[in-house]
Amino acid sequence: MMFSGQKGANGLNIFKWRRHGESSLRTGLLDDVHPEIELSDYRRAPSPGSESPSGLLNGESVSVEPISDLDLFFERLYNYYCEKGLWCIIIKWIFELLSLAFTIFFSGFFLLYVDWNGLRNAKCGMDAVESGIKPCDLANEALHLHPLKPLTLFKGTVLGYLGIFSVYWIFCFLRFFAQLRETLAVRQFYYRSLHVTDKEIQTIPWASILERIVQLQELQQLCVVKNLSIHDVVMRLMRKENYLIGMLNKGLLSFPISHWVPGAGPTISCGPNDVRSRLILPKTLEWTLNWCILQSMFDR
């Protein structure tokens, strides 16, 4: 019994934060956390005098700078694995840009150039033959030669819509090159350090990638504070999700709502006047928590 108590105490020492004034949210989540969940701050960047890892993204030189954010680094490795290589990623991005551009041009053509009243009243084909009139030219009857004359409120709204999505398309196009540089760095790490090609990544299991990362840790210090294990890498990838699960388990996302509200979960507690608090986590709330809290907790 004494040994198990000491083991439990040692396990809980992991969760003692080294900084003062920590968030009450973190403190509340750590009250009954399982000892296996790694939440320590060894993810921080080492000091300039500490040993630097070698061969991370730019060859096998020992002069490579330490990884400033291991969580982001492993997340990029996992995303590259899920996307199955460089060319799959590039083709996906190209089709996303083409589909967005098609949507913009398609919307602009049908909302501005097509004359729907003229198209409905035009007598072409069999209608013209039955009426005994000369068949019409559908292009002249159904299309506006000058779509912006006169400029109405509806056309102004359409122009604003097209302008916003055009700016967004330009942003996505520029982001393509920014992300391409990061993707090429990750690909170089797979090739040089893990010795996994894009062809092999199509079939190799993720567990084998994790084993190679752990073996690489023994040769090149990816983490200068401690030796990484498969469990450490997985917990880094799942860190934000584990905190979100912890918030659900602690009842922090329960609200006094009725059972008929869409998305309402099980009852957590009953307040005064028999008001029941139920769990609810819509996509909007999940995105807000991730953007406002979790991203800031685990950024650089």
Side-chain angles (χ1 to χ4, degrees):
M1 294 296 291
M2 182 179 298
F3 174 78
S4 62
Q6 293 176 352
K7 182 177 180 181
N10 293 333
L12 291 177
N13 286 336
I14 299 175
F15 309 109
K16 293 183 178 179
W17 302 95
R18 302 179 184 180
R19 297 184 298 271
H20 297 287
E22 62 267 44
S23 170
S24 59
L25 173 60
R26 281 190 175 187
T27 306
L29 290 177
L30 297 176
D31 289 341
D32 55 359
V33 69
H34 195 273
E36 289 296 323
I37 300 179
E38 178 61 68
L39 298 174
S40 63
D41 62 344
Y42 68 84
R43 65 183 296 281
R44 66 189 185 280
S47 60
S50 61
E51 182 181 1
S52 300
S54 59
L56 298 182
L57 293 177
N58 297 311
E60 303 294 333
S61 172
V62 295
S63 61
V64 178
E65 292 295 328
I67 300 177
S68 59
D69 194 336
L70 275 177
D71 287 3
L72 180 61
F73 178 74
F74 287 133
E75 183 179 351
R76 289 174 179 173
L77 289 181
Y78 183 69
N79 290 336
Y80 187 89
Y81 171 81
C82 293
E83 298 292 343
K84 299 303 180 183
L86 177 65
W87 288 109
C88 294
I89 295 175
I90 292 178
I91 293 174
K92 172 192 171 185
W93 289 345
I94 291 176
F95 273 95
E96 288 179 352
L97 290 174
L98 291 177
S99 62
L100 180 58
F102 173 78
T103 303
I104 295 174
F105 283 106
F106 185 85
S107 302
F109 177 78
F110 279 94
L111 293 177
L112 294 178
Y113 277 89
V114 176
D115 184 2
W116 296 101
N117 292 326
L119 181 63
R120 184 173 57 252
N121 299 325
K123 294 195 178 291
C124 301
M126 292 302 300
D127 292 337
V129 174
E130 293 175 356
S131 302
I133 62 176
K134 183 179 179 180
C136 67
D137 187 355
L138 187 60
N140 294 331
E141 295 290 340
L143 296 179
H144 290 293
L145 297 179
H146 304 284
L148 298 182
K149 295 181 180 180
L151 184 61
T152 61
L153 178 61
F154 173 76
K155 293 181 180 180
T157 305
V158 173
L159 287 177
Y161 155 77
L162 296 177
I164 292 175
F165 275 88
S166 298
V167 172
Y168 176 69
W169 187 92
I170 296 175
F171 167 77
C172 293
F173 180 76
L174 297 177
R175 187 182 61 178
F176 169 82
F177 294 99
Q179 292 179 339
L180 181 61
R181 180 181 178 183
E182 299 173 353
T183 305
L184 289 175
V186 174
R187 180 176 183 265
Q188 188 177 13
F189 178 82
Y190 268 100
Y191 271 68
R192 294 190 177 184
S193 299
L194 300 182
H195 305 291
V196 177
T197 63
D198 283 352
K199 185 176 181 180
E200 294 173 338
I201 209 172
Q202 302 289 331
T203 56
I204 189 172
W206 174 245
S208 299
I209 301 293
L210 291 176
E211 292 175 358
R212 299 193 183 197
I213 294 175
V214 173
Q215 294 174 1
L216 185 65
Q217 168 68 26
E218 300 176 357
L219 302 176
Q220 306 169 5
Q221 292 293 315
L222 299 180
C223 179
V224 298
V225 182
K226 62 172 292 186
N227 287 328
L228 292 174
S229 64
I230 294 179
H231 176 265
D232 294 327
V233 178
V234 173
M235 293 308 298
R236 286 177 179 274
L237 292 172
M238 297 293 296
R239 193 190 298 269
K240 298 174 185 177
E241 287 78 5
N242 287 335
Y243 260 89
L244 187 60
I245 293 173
M247 295 171 69
L248 288 171
N249 292 337
K250 298 286 289 186
L252 299 180
L253 301 179
S254 60
F255 302 94
I257 57 177
S258 302
H259 67 279
W260 51 265
V261 175
T267 302
I268 298 300
S269 61
C270 293
N273 300 327
D274 198 24
V275 178
R276 298 186 177 185
S277 296
R278 303 177 185 272
L279 285 178
I280 184 170
L281 186 61
K283 281 297 180 180
T284 305
L285 178 58
E286 181 181 354
W287 180 87
T288 304
L289 291 173
N290 183 68
W291 181 263
C292 299
I293 299 179
L294 299 179
Q295 292 285 0
S296 300
M297 289 172 64
F298 300 115
D299 60 7
R300 294 183 179 180

